[in-house]
Amino acid sequence: MSRSASIKDVANHARVAVGTVSNVLNYPDRVSQRTKDRVLLAIDELGFVRNDAARQLRAGHSRTIGLIVLDVGNPFFTSVVRAAEDAAALQGSAVLLGDSGHDASRESNYIDLFQEQRVQGLLISPVGDVTERLDQLRERGVPTVLVDRLADEAKYSSVSVDDDAGGYLAARHLLDIGRRRLAFVGGPTSIRQVADRLQGAQRAVAEVPDASLEVLDSAGQTVLAGRGVGDQLVRRSADDLPDGVFCANDLLALGVMQSLAMLHTLRIPEDIALIGYDDIDFAVSAVVPLSSIRQPTEALGRTAIELLAEELDAMGPTSVRPHHRAVIFTPELVVRQSTAGASAG
Amino acid sequence: MSRSASIKDVANHARVAVGTVSNVLNYPDRVSQRTKDRVLLAIDELGFVRNDAARQLRAGHSRTIGLIVLDVGNPFFTSVVRAAEDAAALQGSAVLLGDSGHDASRESNYIDLFQEQRVQGLLISPVGDVTERLDQLRERGVPTVLVDRLADEAKYSSVSVDDDAGGYLAARHLLDIGRRRLAFVGGPTSIRQVADRLQGAQRAVAEVPDASLEVLDSAGQTVLAGRGVGDQLVRRSADDLPDGVFCANDLLALGVMQSLAMLHTLRIPEDIALIGYDDIDFAVSAVVPLSSIRQPTEALGRTAIELLAEELDAMGPTSVRPHHRAVIFTPELVVRQSTAGASAG
DNA sequence: CCGATTCTTTGAATCGTTTCATTGTTACGA
DNA sequence: TCGTAACAATGAAACGATTCAAAGAATCGG
């Protein structure tokens, strides 16, 4: 259990100066082949591993980027995280991951931690009101990019997905396969995502003269909430039923599907076409594979890192003008069996 | 965009020595109230935030613990991670999370990164053969605890779950509700978890004279693989059918359930009782809520941190004897509707 | 008022790396 | 052979926090 070898130990062992060892590690071209070989051998023999704390102390900042998400268990964020890690690795940075779990105090703790660690920058999908903290960080030279939240370009960079467009896509698809009596199933419209998706759907319906859209409020965003709405539906008389249902997320859609499947009189997609949102793993393996709206999570994660890099560039010692961009992605329609085939009978 | 304030700036601003500022932060009792107030005011006015790199450089080690999991998207690991983070926070450490994604090279990169960061210790559910790396780390004073993998106590500490016991629990439960013709559905038995669960089931069946266990090999561990097995089952004649099915995980069970639900002649649990493994979120919201075996993920995460603390203690300058413990948890039966009611008709 | 004791405060040394001005070395053309 | 580039190697200083021996201040009993 010996203390780790330092660059000084390596220097002694290789009979060179510490500066030379440093050069071998950072500017190999400045060192002659002979010396380089000797140093590398010494490094190997001593099992030397750079001490990142010392590097970072000297450099004034770390080579890490903080990323705080609302819920790592959510496949949406899992995918964003992975993409961000890969993109960061390409530019030689590592990602420190924090999971706020929708809890403002956990979020705040992570911001503290990351600030102590002197991260290069911060990616965050905020829970609480963190604008003050973020402003303070920026003043210290630590830029922020908001993730999955549209920000005022005058203040922050951000990456987000156009939920209105997604809602439009879903409703438009139902209309395209001939459905006219649509229903929207979603939780409280106080959630921005839900409101936007509904709005997009309404926009699509307004474009088709004889189409209608009914809004069915669900108690939440879970499978059980969906089943609650589904149970109401199956109790209706046939001429009162929608022929196309758009759910604000896949869990709700799966719940609705379960209700319809248990009663064996209504068929998907023949009687009711069904589409969800998010394209979670379970969508493809549902009893009837579920059509859905896929969000470009990889692009979100990758772009967030790119925007952060732009912010860092813009803060270079030369230019001090802030540089913000709000990138909005458009989601994508994924058609499966639950909306397959032509129009309803 | 001013440089962050250092402890020196604080000292100047408060007209005290740097050592005093440090004492205020680390040993408040050593400092008089008057001075403390002055220093705290200065800290506040300058917005001083400790530089962790400098602390860590001086201390020789960080206050962080590395945690490398196979897949953060997997609810099992998500839960372990959260518990570990909370337990670490209690003892004043933070957790650096790495997701190897079952990829040995990503895993290796994270070990490199954590070693450069001089983490206090490492929790890992390994992909590749990392014993050499881990031994090297231990020699440097960085202990490791294996997660979700039973280790030889002579070499490592570990936390794991007794899959044999879980398999026994599941099969025993089916037998307890009167089922006798059991079937096990699982992927290749080369996967240790699958083999152990099967073995436990066989043990339970062996205890009941007139019970039998049939093994149905599934192509994988997914919903679709489960549906494949289910489709085979529904084609059988009634007297050739099992009356209790135990699946090696919940996804398989959900697949089997889908097959049976689509054909409307076999009922769950009346004709076939069904139980899964893992107790994922979807289990409770399946068409027929699924009985399952729950793994004590919170205990796993918490205990992993505790074992690491023990290892660190045991490595203190006084004692050098290694101290390893392999803690094995017993999973828990969760009964829902899919195995409800008494014996089969 | 003095010496002893306790409580506060000080500031230089240290951790391991990078940087950079300086010195040392080599090679080459004149 | 010498002067001059071009190239290599050197080692002290700096980054910011913590530690600790030592100095300074306050308190108390006699």
Side-chain angles (χ1 to χ4, degrees), chain B residues 9-15 36-48:
Chain B
D9 300 324
V10 174
N12 289 336
H13 199 263
R15 312 202 152 277
K36 211 176 339 188
D37 289 346
R38 269 224 314 290
V39 170
L40 289 175
L41 182 67
I43 286 178
D44 201 50
E45 286 181 356
L46 298 179
F48 166 77

Side-chain angles (χ1 to χ4, degrees), chain B residues 294-307:
Chain B
R294 177 186 303 157
Q295 311 203 55
T297 48
E298 296 83 8
L300 271 178
R302 187 171 8 93
T303 308
I305 294 287
E306 285 167 9
L307 292 187

